[in-house]
Amino acid sequence: MATVTRENLGTLHDKLTVKLAKDDYMPSFEKTLKQYAKTANVPGFRKGMVPSGMLRKMYGQSIFNEEVIRAAGKKLEDFMKDEKLSIFAQPMIMPTTNTRLDMNTPADIDFAFEVGLKPEFEVTPVKDKAHLTRYKITVTDKMMDDELDRIKRRYGKVESQESVANKEDLIYATYEPCDADGNVAADGKKIEDTEVLDKLPAKLKEMLMGKKAGDSFVFTPIDVCTPEELHAFLKDPLKAGEEAAQQHYKLTITKVGLLIPQELGPELYAQVFQNKEVKDEADFREKVRAELSVEFDRITGERLQNEIYELLVHNTPIHLPVAFLKRWMREGGEKPKSAEEVEQEFGSFEHQLRWQLISDKLIAENSISVSVDEVNRDVKTRVLAYFGLGPDDESQAPWMEGYMQKIAKDEKMLDETYRRLLFGKLFSFLETQFTIEQKDIDEEAFFKLADAHAAHHHHH
């Protein structure tokens, strides 16, 4: 009769030993071998007519091994179910298990497995109603002016200019690697780029002043850039590494333009808000301000979620079977890892694992769930929004039915949507569980705040 014994190896780290007597596995081995005899294909024999002694010689040992391991696995599973053991990953055979399996001398066999047990814990930050801050970014008049300038430029038109004359000019140019005399290498690749004159290195700006379309000259990056300018200039426009600093380039102007911003007026309003009616400038400003507020609320909301995430991960006392988890990381994956790799990756692995345990527990205890309908509705809403339609405009999308049938087969997308909605609900719930104080803040101060991870980075 098979037995399982359990002994402790360390924190949440146990050894389970399965002892099999030969009658725990021999009957099923004999039975499987018989079944195999009926279907085995062996050249020179009709199906089902292969002598059993020959089959036993050819395949017996591997069938025997499988059956013994299956019997041990089944016994282990039943034991864990009866004992209600909640474990990480799967049991790992102990390196000390050196049982030689031999079908010709069946005997009692021991298998030792190690398991990492999931901890019992309490989510203390929720229980203690920890204090958090929800920031509200005030949209100032200056931010509004900057945003309107950006919009006017974005919908502006480029007018051709005779020659380079002011810092706002757009320089359309090609850059080609060449020699000191401007002879372009046959295999040199031509880079096209457009840049506002003012963004180019100061020395290059001087060289471009007064030049017209068609003009060209030779330069080396190191001669026209200050040390501060060099790295950015090599990266963009030249798309080259530091090694190109001494390289000669031939710059040819293809066009000089000037961006004339679009004026505030009905034409611009219609371009920015395509599906909304804009009455006048005041209404336009109001709508732009509202959009800015929505965007800032999204950014501050993300920060609050990160705060909650870090607070829970770092301030919930959870004991983990570290030794087991490290071994599992080393050997449990698709390809084995070195001890160094495991040490390097363990921090972020542990961070993720803590979050998984906490979120699983909160989702289960507070019955947070997402239905198939909710997933489908979310997919539809996002597709409609992509085409500029609202959730009620489905009648304008006759193709939606077919699209949803295709999506039904896209498990990855459905799973991602499900998880996004589930965690959205989890965070909405969590936001009601803390003591949250709202604080007005200006944009600059908000983006200077230390990030949430830095604030909580010590595990308790």
Side-chain angles (χ1 to χ4, degrees), residues 370-382:
V370 173
S371 68
V372 178
D373 273 355
E374 287 172 296
V375 170
N376 288 336
R377 221 176 21 249
D378 182 79
V379 172
K380 278 186 186 174
T381 305
R382 282 192 303 150

Side-chain angles (χ1 to χ4, degrees), residues 243-385:
E243 74 288 340
Q246 315 270 359
Q247 166 72 48
H248 286 84
Y249 280 93
K250 179 178 181 180
L251 183 159
T252 308
I253 299 177
T254 52
K255 175 180 164 185
V256 182
L258 182 62
L259 180 67
I260 310 292
Q262 165 86 293
E263 285 307 310
L264 286 178
E267 194 184 329
L268 179 62
Y269 309 155
Q271 283 173 302
V272 178
F273 295 106
Q274 291 174 358
N275 293 329
K276 290 183 190 153
E277 189 199 347
V278 180
K279 293 199 264 304
D280 50 23
E281 186 179 327
D283 189 22
F284 179 67
R285 282 174 176 273
E286 213 30 65
K287 287 186 162 58
V288 171
R289 187 184 286 271
E291 291 215 331
L292 273 181
S293 288
V294 167
E295 180 55 15
F296 282 133
D297 287 349
R298 187 187 63 75
I299 293 169
T300 54
E302 270 179 14
R303 181 186 170 86
L304 180 61
Q305 290 195 356
N306 282 338
E307 286 268 353
I308 291 174
Y309 169 83
E310 296 292 347
L311 179 73
L312 291 177
V313 168
H314 294 286
N315 294 20
T316 303
I318 300 181
H319 293 294
L320 292 173
V322 174
F324 171 81
L325 291 171
K326 286 184 174 176
R327 181 184 165 208
W328 183 78
M329 279 178 79
R330 268 202 319 278
E331 300 165 26
E334 283 175 16
K335 46 179 201 277
K337 293 184 167 167
S338 68
E340 289 78 45
E341 285 176 306
V342 169
E343 285 309 319
Q344 234 168 7
E345 293 167 23
F346 190 73
S348 62
F349 169 77
E350 181 190 14
H351 203 84
Q352 237 352 82
L353 188 60
R354 282 172 183 271
W355 170 244
Q356 200 184 332
L357 290 168
I358 295 165
S359 55
D360 285 353
K361 182 181 172 78
L362 290 168
I363 286 167
E365 286 177 359
N366 299 289
S367 316
I368 294 169
S369 65
V370 173
S371 68
V372 178
D373 273 355
E374 287 172 296
V375 170
N376 288 336
R377 221 176 21 249
D378 182 79
V379 172
K380 278 186 186 174
T381 305
R382 282 192 303 150
V383 174
L384 289 168

Side-chain angles (χ1 to χ4, degrees), residues 173-179 183-193 219 234-241 243-244 247-252:
T174 58
Y175 296 87
E176 299 170 279
C178 61
D179 64 15
N183 300 310
V184 176
D187 56 352
K189 59 176 200 296
K190 183 192 280 197
I191 291 151
E192 294 186 19
D193 185 69
F219 72 95
L234 288 172
K235 185 164 158 250
D236 193 39
L238 296 181
K239 321 255 182 292
E243 74 288 340
Q247 166 72 48
H248 286 84
Y249 280 93
K250 179 178 181 180
L251 183 159
T252 308

Side-chain angles (χ1 to χ4, degrees), residues 52-150:
S52 59
M54 183 172 168
L55 265 184
R56 211 185 169 91
K57 251 206 198 74
M58 289 171 74
Y59 304 110
Q61 189 58 48
S62 72
I63 292 174
F64 181 80
N65 295 356
E66 272 169 31
E67 283 304 322
V68 171
I69 289 167
R70 212 174 58 84
K74 173 92 180 71
K75 194 66 207 164
L76 184 69
E77 230 165 83
D78 293 345
F79 175 81
M80 293 198 303
K81 218 190 228 141
D82 294 343
E83 295 280 312
K84 297 193 173 41
L85 292 192
S86 180
I87 67 163
F88 285 114
Q90 60 267 15
M92 295 186 71
I93 276 200
M94 301 270 289
T96 49
T97 306
N98 58 356
T99 323
R100 290 254 318 116
L101 301 180
D102 179 2
M103 64 174 179
N104 299 317
T105 53
D108 294 355
I109 301 172
D110 288 3
F111 280 99
F113 295 91
E114 58 179 312
V115 291
L117 304 169
K118 288 190 177 173
E120 291 287 322
F121 61 93
E122 216 173 341
V123 188
T124 43
V126 170
K127 204 177 109 215
D128 302 343
K129 299 250 178 252
H131 283 259
L132 289 166
T133 306
R134 178 197 289 282
Y135 292 99
K136 178 86 182 152
I137 296 177
T138 11
V139 179
T140 61
D141 292 344
K142 181 178 179 327
M143 279 155 67
M144 275 299 297
D145 293 342
D146 290 349
E147 182 64 13
L148 290 176
D149 276 348
R150 219 177 50 73

